[in-house]
Amino acid sequence: MDEIAAEVKKMVKNIDQVLQELTLKEKASLVVGAGYRSMLAGILGSKVPVPGAAGMTRPIPRLGIPAIVLSDGPAGVRIEPRRKGSEASFYCTGFPIGSLLASTWNTELVERVGEAIGNEALEYGVDVMLAPGMNLQRNPLCGRNFEYFSEDPYLSGKTAAAYTRGIQSQGVGACLKHYAANNQETNRFWNDSRVPEDVLRKLYLRNFEIAVKESAPWTIMASYNRLNGVHTQQDSWLLTDVLRGEWGFQGLVMTDWTGRRDTAAQIEAGCDLMEPGKHSQIREIVRKVKKGELPEAALDTCVRRVLELIVKTPTFKGYRPSLQPDLEAHASVAREAAEEGIVLLENREGALPLAHGTTVALFGVGSYETLAGGTGSGHVHRPYVVSLDEGLRKEGFTVEESLAGTYTQYIGKNRPRGSSLSRMLGGPATPEMTIGREAIEAASEGADIAILTLSRQAGEGGDRHLEGDFLLTEGERQMLAAITEAFHQKGEKVVVILNIGGVIETASWKHLPDAIVLAWQPGQEGGSALGRILSGTVNPSGRLPVTFPVDYFDLPSSRNFPYDFHGKDSFLSGKEKDADVRNVGFTEYAEGLDVGYRYFQKEGTPEVSYPFGYGLSYTSFQESAPVFSDGAVTVTVTNTGAVPGKTVVQVYHPFLCAYGKTRLLQPGESQTLTWQLEGENSK
Ligand code: BGC
């Protein structure tokens, strides 16, 4: 790190000279990205250093300034897995989604995930990862919640900081996104999030503040939406006063992928890089500076930050990517993360772990085509995905073959082919199969237990809906009822696996199965992790980073969220419309601080289905009461059960202010955890 600092210092001196050398047009071209060539290289066949990377900057060869490469994020490096004219493949590890990483409550592990992602970025020629995604999960229907961490700013900020430190330990930049209050996808380019300042500071900015202060990210991405009337990429209060002035952010701010707004206003507000970038923006900047409508000093400030970023990058330093990251080692990190973030929600009468030698009747398309992640820019081209079916077999279980055959055949015939664009963005999942009573009965004959996977997929550009998404479909309800009836009649148990990216309704059906496992979208090694949890090789230790309400309308934010919007999704920007339509043109954050458990822990509020921080284990733990002294808090936890396990200690004061995961504790073993409390919470 010291070496890098010294080098940057040297270059920073040189930046003054470079700034003097640059023509106005060159300066303008440095703050405007190089367009879509790189992102769409797989479709357009353009020649770029890293096909499929989201964007690049523009080079100035005469001054030795290279183009640098920016790639999505967040569940791994998102680049094209194949290149024209090359036999080689460029697959990247598909890590578990953000919500699962936050469910580990293990910052050391999240940091290792960041390291692995950063290393893949480095070895594939990427300079900045457009990750982590870290907007608060204000409402369960936000289509991008899977990319984000939590409803709680402390858990979100700490997780983001760990992830960022991991990436940047590899000499590659991270990018906190999307700054800020980008909590819905409906009308995402125009929606105005109306949030009181106090609420912003305590919730929607708080997680960014923690991550900025604790991990010094190289970059941050402004969001698509407006905040209190102003496009965030043009908001000098947000980008300059708060971010740099109050928090001391030293890095670069870039736009999200629609820089084409008021370019001059963006520069003046402290937005340094317009992505993906269009030539007309360069002309606009030059014209406005010449006319005196944009101070050249403001442009210089942005150019300086772009240069400061460039000199830190592997590309600038002449690093030669090996194009061969250690995918095997990273797959184990992905599996380990999945194992720690999967949450055991129900386990009646020791339904789990499964007895050795069990034969499983495996229901649900997601059991055979387990969803590793969501769609859109959060999708990763990974080399494979281990399904639950494969994971169970690897652990030595028998899968009931005739049922498995029916599903495999159905999937072969019904897997959507998708357009090249949808393939690039992780096209739609295979729809669920209807299964009749007879087939269920037949499967129960040859099996000892039923496992049913319920799946959901979402992605950027659209929010989820209540019917058939938050709520189970009629088909799913019938299938669950029929399976539990048939298996329970024979004295056999039923396990439900939730292969989902965001919260769904559970209260109306959770009494039916004997166990429920929340797998989230667990990355390419998800099936292996699930297999090991179901067999008891791994004892589950994930905890919920978000509340599962009984009823969607119990959530105060539901009154101000487009749950009933059925218009066109907003994948592409288009013209502003519906400005006056509530929850489309604008969204009032009228619930204030009543988000997630902050609301449900108040007296007189509705019961929840599963609370924030909840999760079961195959063993039991006992915790001492927290002792607060000299700004520190100490808790001792003991494994009081029969098998080894890890647990999460959470301290609330009154909101989450410290947490940590224990090491693997043997039966009878204790561990004492101590945290130094920060700010408000130390009093
Ligand atoms: C997303 C960003 C992403 C960018 C580049 C945008 O549509 O909102 O999260 O980094 O595309 O792919």
Side-chain angles (χ1 to χ4, degrees):
M1 259 347 225
D2 281 356
E3 236 172 73
I4 295 179
E7 200 167 328
V8 170
K9 228 175 167 181
K10 211 164 70 202
M11 296 313 304
V12 166
K13 273 202 200 134
N14 183 248
I15 284 173
D16 287 330
Q17 272 173 10
V18 173
L19 262 171
Q20 280 178 6
E21 280 285 327
L22 288 166
T23 65
L24 177 58
K25 192 170 169 205
E26 284 170 338
K27 286 185 197 172
S29 76
L30 275 174
V31 301
V32 174
Y36 278 111
R37 280 175 55 235
S38 143
M39 183 191 278
L40 299 180
I43 297 174
L44 305 176
S46 28
K47 273 216 149 51
V48 287
V50 187
M56 287 170 63
T57 60
R58 292 171 196 253
I60 315 266
R62 80 175 180 94
L63 295 174
I65 303 171
I68 62 164
V69 179
L70 322 172
S71 165
D72 287 309
V77 183
R78 189 171 77 87
I79 59 174
E80 283 297 325
R82 294 277 172 190
R83 294 181 190 171
K84 268 215 175 93
S86 167
E87 283 300 302
S89 67
F90 304 84
Y91 286 102
C92 297
T93 308
F95 288 88
I97 58 167
S99 307
L100 184 146
L101 294 182
S103 302
T104 66
W105 297 64
N106 183 340
T107 44
E108 178 272 329
L109 178 55
V110 173
E111 196 163 330
R112 279 200 282 127
V113 169
E115 257 167 50
I117 294 175
N119 183 263
E120 275 179 37
L122 178 74
E123 296 305 348
Y124 277 133
V126 170
D127 296 294
V128 176
M129 279 300 296
L130 303 175
M134 57 177 298
N135 293 94
L136 279 200
Q137 297 176 348
R138 168 180 178 252
N139 185 283
L141 298 188
C142 171
R144 290 187 88 168
N145 275 353
F146 72 95
E147 296 183 63
Y148 305 151
F149 296 124
S150 173
E151 69 186 21
D152 176 74
Y154 185 80
L155 182 58
S156 163
K158 290 280 176 185
T159 311
Y163 181 104
T164 300
R165 283 195 300 270
I167 288 193
Q168 296 190 169
S169 71
Q170 303 300 301
V172 167
C175 178
L176 311 185
K177 70 188 190 185
H178 311 87
Y179 184 63
N182 186 185
N183 307 102
Q184 70 178 58
E185 289 299 290
T186 302
N187 196 25
R188 62 180 177 159
F189 300 99
W190 300 101
N191 177 263
D192 182 21
S193 300
R194 298 187 179 163
V195 198
E197 184 173 336
D198 175 53
V199 176
L200 268 180
R201 287 188 180 273
K202 289 188 174 141
L203 293 181
Y204 301 98
L205 300 187
R206 179 77 185 116
N207 52 345
F208 283 96
E209 179 182 359
I210 293 171
V212 163
K213 290 182 174 165
E214 297 189 8
S215 64
W218 290 10
T219 73
I220 189 163
M221 187 190 290
S223 51
Y224 279 140
N225 58 289
R226 285 186 272 219
L227 175 58
N228 295 325
V230 186
H231 280 297
T232 58
Q233 65 205 60
Q234 295 169 201
D235 188 340
S236 62
W237 175 78
L238 191 68
L239 305 187
T240 298
D241 302 354
V242 174
L243 179 62
R244 300 181 197 279
E246 295 182 28
W247 304 345
F249 176 67
Q250 300 281 329
L252 167 141
V253 177
M254 69 180 83
T255 63
D256 197 345
W257 257 234
T258 180
R260 279 163 290 152
R261 282 173 169 156
D262 185 340
T263 310
Q266 287 164 204
I267 289 173
E268 287 204 73
C271 184
D272 310 302
L273 178 62
M274 320 300 144
E275 284 292 341
K278 230 187 157 193
H279 213 267
S280 59
Q281 291 174 286
I282 301 177
R283 290 198 297 271
E284 185 188 341
I285 295 170
V286 170
R287 198 178 59 241
K288 288 201 166 156
V289 170
K290 281 191 176 155
K291 279 183 155 174
E293 289 168 14
L294 170 65
E296 190 158 359
L299 175 61
D300 285 352
T301 304
C302 297
V303 173
R304 176 182 293 279
R305 294 197 193 115
V306 172
L307 293 172
E308 282 170 0
L309 172 67
I310 290 175
V311 299
K312 286 193 276 198
T313 59
T315 294
F316 182 81
K317 293 176 183 162
Y319 185 79
R320 282 173 175 258
S322 67
L323 304 181
Q324 284 178 333
D326 190 344
L327 294 182
E328 225 172 279
H330 298 166
S332 336
V333 179
R335 196 198 70 209
E336 205 186 319
E339 286 170 1
E340 286 219 10
I342 289 173
V343 187
L344 181 61
L345 296 177
E346 297 286 350
N347 194 17
R348 280 184 277 273
E349 290 169 34
L352 294 177
L354 303 176
H356 189 71
T358 301
T359 298
V360 181
L362 209 44
F363 295 93
V365 166
S367 296
Y368 302 88
E369 220 175 37
T370 307
L371 299 177
T375 63
S377 59
H379 171 73
V380 178
H381 299 286
R382 59 251 150 172
Y384 59 84
V385 178
V386 179
S387 66
L388 173 58
D389 174 36
E390 292 164 312
L392 285 169
R393 292 177 198 262
K394 280 211 278 188
E395 280 297 286
F397 295 110
T398 306
V399 173
E400 206 282 313
E401 289 300 348
S402 101
L403 185 62
T406 310
Y407 272 101
T408 318
Q409 233 182 21
Y410 166 85
I411 291 169
K413 284 198 191 128
N414 292 279
R415 184 183 285 134
R417 293 202 55 235
S419 62
S420 45
L421 188 68
S422 83
R423 276 199 295 279
M424 185 182 115
L425 299 167
T430 309
E432 191 50 86
M433 181 180 97
T434 317
I435 182 138
R437 270 180 189 269
E438 262 171 46
I440 295 172
E441 290 285 341
S444 74
E445 294 297 330
D448 310 314
I449 192 164
I451 298 185
L452 164 63
T453 301
L454 299 173
S455 319
R456 292 288 182 273
Q457 192 162 46
E460 70 175 286
D463 287 312
R464 298 170 53 215
H465 296 116
L466 269 184
E467 298 297 329
D469 193 340
F470 183 76
L471 303 172
L472 297 197
T473 63
E474 207 32 56
E476 287 169 333
R477 280 185 193 284
Q478 282 170 9
M479 175 163 61
L480 175 60
I483 292 170
T484 40
E485 200 186 307
F487 279 74
H488 284 171
Q489 245 170 34
K490 294 207 163 62
E492 288 163 357
K493 297 199 159 118
V494 176
V495 179
V496 167
I497 308 286
L498 297 178
N499 182 198
I500 58 182
V503 171
I504 64 167
E505 185 275 329
T506 49
S508 68
W509 57 266
K510 66 180 183 182
H511 59 282
L512 290 174
D514 304 276
I516 305 177
V517 178
L518 171 59
W520 292 118
Q521 289 162 343
Q524 69 180 44
E525 284 288 336
S528 324
L530 273 169
R532 284 157 58 90
I533 282 178
L534 295 175
S535 70
T537 304
V538 170
N539 189 347
S541 62
R543 300 288 183 268
L544 294 180
V546 60
T547 307
F548 277 57
V550 168
D551 189 301
Y552 174 73
F553 295 101
D554 289 345
L555 296 158
S557 68
S558 64
R559 287 183 273 292
N560 290 287
F561 191 88
Y563 68 86
D564 50 358
F565 177 81
H566 286 281
K568 213 167 164 328
D569 282 346
S570 42
F571 199 80
L572 296 171
S573 129
K575 290 250 176 300
E576 174 166 22
K577 53 180 174 359
D578 300 330
D580 301 327
V581 181
R582 195 182 170 78
N583 300 331
V584 179
F586 66 94
T587 301
E588 299 281 358
Y589 285 43
E591 73 284 357
L593 298 171
D594 281 344
V595 173
Y597 73 89
R598 281 172 167 67
Y599 171 67
F600 290 107
Q601 74 180 11
K602 288 183 178 170
E603 252 179 66
T605 54
E607 288 285 302
V608 299
S609 186
Y610 298 111
F612 177 84
Y614 171 85
L616 303 174
S617 164
Y618 297 151
T619 185
S620 53
F621 294 94
Q622 198 165 32
E623 271 179 34
S624 68
V627 178
F628 290 86
S629 133
D630 287 341
V633 57
T634 302
V635 175
T636 298
V637 58
T638 307
N639 182 348
T640 52
V643 292
K646 294 181 178 184
T647 188
V648 175
V649 180
Q650 309 168 24
V651 184
Y652 295 82
H653 194 232
F655 308 127
L656 184 69
C657 62
Y659 67 85
K661 192 147 223 183
T662 63
R663 60 175 184 269
L664 188 74
L665 296 175
Q666 298 300 320
E669 198 184 350
S670 300
Q671 184 178 347
T672 298
L673 292 98
T674 300
W675 301 268
Q676 218 43 55
L677 293 177
E678 297 140 33
E680 286 280 285
N681 300 318
S682 61
K683 288 172 201 151

